[in-house]
Amino acid sequence: MRELKILVINNYGQFCHLIHRTVRDLDMETKIVANTTSVEDILEEEPDGIILSGGPSMDRVGLCQEYVESIDRPILGICLGHQLIARTFGGQTGSGEYGGYAEIDVEVLEEDDILKGLGPRTSVWASHADEVTVLPEGFLHLARSDVCEIEAMRHPERPIYGVQWHPEVAHTDKGEELFMNFFEVCENY
């Protein structure tokens, strides 16, 4: 696979720099970008793909909704990024019943693009303080768990994906595979 340029949008999550390091360690060019950067400035970077990091609050996502709506590149939303994608397309989010970080057993319903080779079940590290509660209309439901029905999803036509869990942390099985699957989407887009 050729070296791709992946922008990591900083939503002030504690793992933003770990996402960046993971992407770099997988031999991709990467850069952390403030979520207040204009769409024009992001496009000037000529990214092959965009990752929306996790973060503490939907109030601090900056221009991420604009990025999702108007940037025609593959996008992967992690945790808060996943929730923001859902909201952008008419889905709903809410407080999770289980709260903070924990190991979760995820059932892969559809090994679509980013989840290729991860099923039928995988162990992940996730926070469910907030989660997607209603899938956006038309979205494909990719994974679920006993604590959250919508662990992963994708847009029906555009290469936009969301996962509730953190593939960048060591506690997540096959996290690097998920990133490599996303890079493959970026390479072929």
Side-chain angles (χ1 to χ4, degrees):
M1 181 179 291
R2 68 181 172 88
E3 183 183 60
L4 304 170
K5 185 171 189 179
I6 307 295
L7 297 184
V8 178
I9 306 299
N10 187 356
N11 287 316
Y12 310 104
Q14 61 182 322
F15 297 132
C16 180
H17 288 82
L18 186 54
I19 295 169
H20 174 260
R21 191 175 88 202
T22 301
V23 172
R24 186 195 65 214
D25 289 350
L26 292 170
D27 298 323
M28 298 298 154
E29 180 183 348
T30 184
K31 180 178 181 181
I32 295 176
V33 179
N35 67 9
T36 52
T37 305
S38 71
V39 168
E40 295 75 24
D41 287 347
I42 286 186
L43 290 174
E44 273 184 29
E45 295 278 347
E46 298 182 356
D48 293 295
I50 294 170
I51 298 175
L52 305 175
S53 83
S57 162
M58 202 60 77
D59 299 331
R60 297 184 66 194
V61 294
L63 301 174
C64 284
Q65 185 169 336
E66 285 183 43
Y67 306 157
V68 172
E69 290 172 337
S70 62
I71 296 178
D72 186 23
R73 299 287 190 288
I75 296 174
L76 172 62
I78 295 173
C79 199
L80 181 71
H82 166 66
Q83 296 156 28
L84 174 113
I85 290 167
R87 278 205 184 174
T88 299
F89 291 101
Q92 294 177 22
T93 61
S95 295
E97 201 175 313
Y98 290 89
Y101 289 100
E103 186 176 353
I104 305 292
D105 187 42
V106 168
E107 176 187 359
V108 177
L109 302 172
E110 182 70 49
E111 286 197 43
D112 177 280
D113 297 344
I114 61 164
L115 302 185
K116 188 173 52 186
L118 273 65
R121 302 189 83 76
T122 188
S123 179
V124 304
W125 189 252
S127 166
H128 289 86
D130 294 296
E131 60 192 26
V132 177
T133 56
V134 176
L135 194 68
E137 190 173 332
F139 266 60
L140 303 171
H141 187 191
L142 303 180
R144 64 164 305 282
S145 72
D146 290 342
V147 300
C148 175
E149 189 55 34
I150 305 165
E151 291 282 0
M153 64 183 187
R154 76 157 291 185
H155 190 280
E157 290 143 18
R158 294 175 57 199
I160 299 175
Y161 308 86
V163 294
Q164 179 66 37
W165 68 87
H166 288 272
E168 70 277 15
V169 301
H171 303 302
T172 293
D173 289 345
K174 300 183 181 175
E176 287 187 359
E177 287 92 328
L178 188 148
F179 281 113
M180 292 303 291
N181 287 341
F182 178 65
F183 301 154
E184 189 176 316
V185 169
C186 296
E187 185 175 45
N188 294 324
Y189 188 66

